Amino acid sequence: MSPQNPDRIKIAVQKSGRLTEHSLDLLARCGLKYSKGRDQLICYGENLPIDVLLVRDDDIPGLVRDDVCDLGIVGANVLEEKRLAFAAAGDTAPFTIVRKLDFGHCRLSFAVPEDMPWQGPADLAGRRIATSYPHIVGEFLRRQGLEASVVEFSGAVEIAPKLGRADVICDLVSTGGTLRANHLREEDTILDSVSSLIQTPKTVPAGKAEWMERLKKRIDGVIQVSESKYIMLHAPRAALAEITRLLPGSEAPTVMPLEGREDKVAIHAVCRENVFWETLEELKQAGASSMLVLPVEKMLY
Ligand code: PRP
Ligand code: ZN
């Protein structure tokens, strides 16, 4: 590891898992070029004062809290678990959630063996629940006024019922593949999760703070771009109002005359939502022709 440089931003990212590729891709889209250190734990930013630390996702909230990292990208599931754990230890402001990102969608759900009946959370009473999220599950049980025992597993929670260590589990579900492979059935969901960018609540030096703001603006741009399309089409002048109305999430499209055509115009617009086939079909119905939908590469407002 190189000597700590206090002027460089350190951002913690999951080392290997569901969020790794998306997180590194997001930073690359923000313009960060990096090279991996020999220990494979740090990516050194080559063109921006930003270094990336590759760590276990569960460690990210603590690294941000303890000021080892200024920023972190981690799922709401881990954030909520750690928030409750830190609060129980008296720390009520360990990190600030500064952006919700558009990847890592998953949910924290109870799951039961395929042959076990389930009417609802009340069935948890007196049961043993295996989970890596003891604080979230504990809080849920308290709110529901249920008594059950929570068995903490740090990984491979899905095998707990087979091992006879628990009756039910509470774990993250994304595609549901892991549950199916272990003959478990998903029941009630207690948390919907998406990844977030977190920041240290402490004041950072001005130069670094400025770069942190720039990075957040770029992240906003990247998220907007992934949801945006540039659309070009020809429209009868008479249908202009209707066609403008049909363009998804666009403000003030550009309307241009078409050489030699009094009755038609060209419309160009940035749509802040994806443009689906259905929309194109509706536009065609309204009289639009020569439609072209293009991806947007960068956007800055
Ligand atoms: C979660 C969870 C399951 C898997 C579910 O692990 O613990 O193993 O994802 O995904 P699926 O429904 O698509 O099969 P995660 O990737 O968060 O790894 P970690 O718990 O080891 O950090
Ligand atoms: Zn994890």
Side-chain angles (χ1 to χ4, degrees), residues 54-234:
L54 298 169
V55 296
R56 283 192 53 202
D57 63 343
D58 313 64
D59 292 335
I60 293 174
L63 289 168
V64 172
R65 176 184 79 147
D66 298 340
D67 244 2
V68 178
C69 292
D70 310 286
L71 298 169
I73 297 176
V74 66
N77 50 310
V78 171
L79 288 178
E80 181 58 8
E81 177 65 20
K82 298 295 174 185
R83 188 186 68 77
L84 292 168
F86 292 146
D91 185 352
T92 52
F95 48 76
T96 315
I97 298 176
V98 288
R99 289 294 184 281
K100 287 249 187 318
L101 306 172
D102 57 352
F103 57 84
H105 295 269
C106 59
R107 52 199 186 274
L108 188 62
S109 296
F110 288 105
V112 302
E114 271 166 1
D115 55 3
M116 182 178 150
W118 176 268
Q119 248 88 61
D123 290 356
L124 291 168
R127 301 283 191 174
R128 294 165 306 160
I129 308 164
T131 188
S132 313
Y133 301 87
H135 290 90
I136 298 180
V137 173
E139 175 84 3
F140 176 81
L141 294 172
R142 249 190 314 283
R143 289 219 188 126
Q144 301 277 319
L146 294 167
E147 293 276 353
S149 58
V150 176
V151 187
E152 189 172 348
F153 269 65
S154 55
V157 177
E158 59 277 1
I159 62 166
K162 226 178 296 174
L163 296 177
R165 298 289 310 277
D167 307 299
V168 306
I169 69 165
C170 186
D171 199 15
L172 276 197
V173 186
S174 167
T175 59
T178 305
L179 292 185
R180 272 194 299 279
N182 288 279
H183 303 284
L184 297 166
R185 190 177 72 237
E186 183 179 4
E187 293 291 354
D188 294 58
T189 294
I190 57 173
L191 181 100
D192 282 302
S193 179
V194 67
S195 9
S196 301
L197 179 74
I198 56 167
Q199 182 174 329
T200 167
K202 306 207 179 73
T203 311
V204 297
K208 202 155 140 172
E210 193 186 308
W211 260 107
M212 277 159 75
E213 286 314 305
R214 276 175 82 168
L215 182 64
K216 282 187 259 175
K217 281 267 174 339
R218 290 189 187 187
I219 288 177
D220 293 338
V222 170
I223 294 174
Q224 287 247 307
V225 157
S226 67
E227 292 168 353
S228 299
K229 291 282 178 275
Y230 192 79
I231 183 165
M232 304 192 278
L233 54 83
H234 291 177

Side-chain angles (χ1 to χ4, degrees), residues 188-292:
D188 294 58
T189 294
I190 57 173
L191 181 100
D192 282 302
S193 179
V194 67
S195 9
S196 301
L197 179 74
I198 56 167
Q199 182 174 329
T200 167
K202 306 207 179 73
T203 311
V204 297
K208 202 155 140 172
E210 193 186 308
W211 260 107
M212 277 159 75
E213 286 314 305
R214 276 175 82 168
L215 182 64
K216 282 187 259 175
K217 281 267 174 339
R218 290 189 187 187
I219 288 177
D220 293 338
V222 170
I223 294 174
Q224 287 247 307
V225 157
S226 67
E227 292 168 353
S228 299
K229 291 282 178 275
Y230 192 79
I231 183 165
M232 304 192 278
L233 54 83
H234 291 177
R237 227 173 246 287
L240 199 55
E242 171 66 357
I243 284 174
T244 312
R245 192 187 61 78
L246 286 171
L247 291 171
S250 75
E251 301 144 22
T254 311
V255 180
M256 287 159 289
L258 278 172
E259 189 64 32
R261 293 294 302 261
E262 275 309 306
D263 57 329
K264 281 198 169 189
V265 289
I267 301 179
H268 288 196
V270 173
C271 295
R272 305 290 197 92
E273 291 164 35
N274 217 333
V275 180
F276 297 104
W277 283 110
E278 288 74 11
T279 309
L280 293 183
E281 285 156 6
E282 281 181 71
L283 286 164
K284 192 169 164 58
Q285 203 80 52
S289 58
S290 307
M291 287 178 272
L292 208 54

